[in-house]
Amino acid sequence: MPALEFARREGGLVLGGGLAATGALMLALVGSRDALTGWLGAAVFIQAFPVGALILLLIMRLVRGRWEDDLHGPASRLAALLPLAALAFLPVVVGMPAIYPWFHEPPASELARFWLSAPFFVLRTAGWFVLASLVLRRALSSALSEFQAALGLIVLVLGSSATAVDWLMTLAPDFASSGFGLQLLTMEVCIALAALILLVSTSTGPRHTAVLGGLLLTLLLLWAYMQFFPFLIIWSGNLPDGAAWYLVRDTLGWNSAIIIAALLGGVPLLALLGPSVRANPRWLVPLSMCVLAGKAIEFAWFALPGRGPIGVFAFILALAGLGALSIAILLQRGRAHRRVTGP
């Protein structure tokens, strides 16, 4: 494809993405709490792509295999979305008073007073992206050792779990779940792998399709486990705060959303149990698209219940805008990669 056509396509994505993102933020003039929470949900979803890709890059250094042939290059390019993810959190930091109820409520304890304070929240969010950037820089180095990869993986798992609590669980300050961070971490890695499969399939094509299908199946099984057991524990223990968190989501709209999300994850999981499906790239692409769509709905289900329709509209616009900007960056990175390596 000629360079001019590439530039036009990327320019159109940047323009369209910018307009959609601006529209999402403009909705804050109508309802700041709902619109900015919608933006938060989209921002957390978008940061899952580079963070999940970075986690996979580190695992590749520790667990060598044929999957590296297909995924290492695309994972490096997907992780390059980290600066965009960091910028996406600027409206979240500025809009904290509208998004988080703990900003105005008296703290329940001295620990809550310290942890749920605006300066410390901003410091943790900024520190997370700085730390992830440092890990990414090392992960892309050819001198990365197994010890460094293991250390980086520990840092990312702990940091990603902590930020999940910060960004989404504290939307309901009375709710606490020890598995919340791992729930979202599993979703992030699922999102990254599904995106990498699509990147590989739309460029050179996967060389080890069955391996990629097996990896996606493994992550979907882990996702199903991590999503079901927190609910089972809260239900069986009849924990009031946990029950209240689920009751907010017990509406026709959000029940429908989580059923759709479950189907978009569950159907690929069941399909990938078949060896012929796992080894067929024609199946792997639509199944990966289903996984991405389901995870986007799940992030909305985590962030938006209790907010009005404006929150949903803002989430969709922010997702479209940030998604278009992400695709433009990936196209530019892919073009630069082809110039270096050749067609």
Side-chain angles (χ1 to χ4, degrees):
M1 184 177 292
L4 181 60
E5 188 173 345
F6 265 119
R8 285 176 178 171
R9 184 167 64 172
E10 291 166 17
L13 286 168
V14 170
L15 178 61
L19 289 174
T22 302
L25 292 175
M26 290 295 289
L27 286 174
L29 299 176
V30 182
S32 59
R33 176 175 176 264
D34 293 356
L36 289 172
T37 306
W39 179 278
L40 168 69
V44 177
F45 177 76
I46 290 297
Q47 67 87 41
F49 289 88
V51 171
L54 181 52
I55 289 172
L56 290 171
L57 273 174
L58 295 175
I59 295 175
M60 286 179 213
R61 181 65 183 86
L62 297 171
V63 185
R64 298 290 191 177
R66 289 178 294 173
W67 65 315
E68 289 182 86
D69 299 339
D70 285 323
L71 297 184
H72 191 277
S76 300
R77 295 194 289 277
L78 192 62
L81 295 178
L82 194 60
L84 175 65
L87 288 174
F89 272 85
L90 286 177
V92 175
V93 169
V94 174
M96 272 191 301
I99 297 173
Y100 294 102
W102 52 258
F103 195 92
H104 303 286
E105 295 177 357
S109 65
E110 287 303 314
L111 176 61
R113 183 188 301 276
F114 168 72
W115 191 263
L116 297 179
S117 64
F120 195 33
F121 180 94
V122 174
L123 182 63
R124 292 195 304 272
T125 298
W128 163 244
F129 284 109
V130 170
L131 190 61
S133 298
L134 293 174
V135 174
L136 173 60
R137 183 176 178 180
R138 192 60 191 168
L140 297 178
S141 169
S142 58
L144 177 71
S145 67
E146 291 187 356
F147 173 77
Q148 291 168 338
L151 183 61
L153 193 58
I154 292 170
V155 168
L156 287 180
V157 168
L158 294 177
S160 184
S161 299
T163 53
V165 171
D166 274 353
W167 295 336
L168 293 181
M169 198 171 83
T170 61
L171 289 169
D174 294 330
F175 175 67
S177 170
S178 58
F180 192 88
L182 291 177
Q183 279 182 274
L184 267 70
L185 178 65
T186 306
M187 290 169 61
E188 288 176 347
V189 182
C190 276
I191 288 167
L193 181 60
L196 291 175
I197 290 172
L198 293 178
L199 284 176
V200 173
S201 300
T202 54
S203 56
T204 59
R207 283 175 281 181
H208 307 292
T209 308
V211 174
L212 300 185
L215 287 171
L216 186 58
L217 172 62
T218 301
L219 286 175
L220 286 174
L221 287 168
L222 183 59
W223 159 78
Y225 174 85
M226 291 304 303
Q227 297 303 92
F228 173 70
F229 267 88
F231 170 78
L232 178 64
I233 291 169
I234 290 171
W235 174 80
S236 60
N238 198 24
L239 304 174
D241 292 336
W245 190 85
Y246 281 101
L247 284 173
V248 173
R249 290 154 177 78
D250 189 19
T251 65
L252 177 61
W254 290 117
N255 282 334
S256 301
I258 199 59
I259 289 171
I260 293 170
L263 289 173
L264 289 170
V267 170
L269 188 159
L270 294 174
L272 288 167
L273 291 173
S276 60
V277 174
R278 290 199 301 272
N280 190 336
R282 293 184 179 180
W283 276 107
L284 212 52
V285 169
L287 292 177
S288 297
M289 294 175 68
C290 286
V291 169
L292 288 179
K295 297 297 167 284
I297 295 172
E298 274 187 87
F299 270 102
W301 185 82
F302 273 102
L304 296 180
R307 272 59 172 175
I310 290 175
V312 177
F313 294 144
F315 175 81
I316 293 171
L317 281 174
L319 199 60
L322 295 172
L325 294 173
S326 299
I327 293 171
I329 293 172
L330 290 173
L331 288 173
Q332 191 276 329
R333 290 273 176 172
R335 188 152 50 94
H337 176 74
R338 284 190 295 273
R339 280 202 302 266
V340 173
T341 61

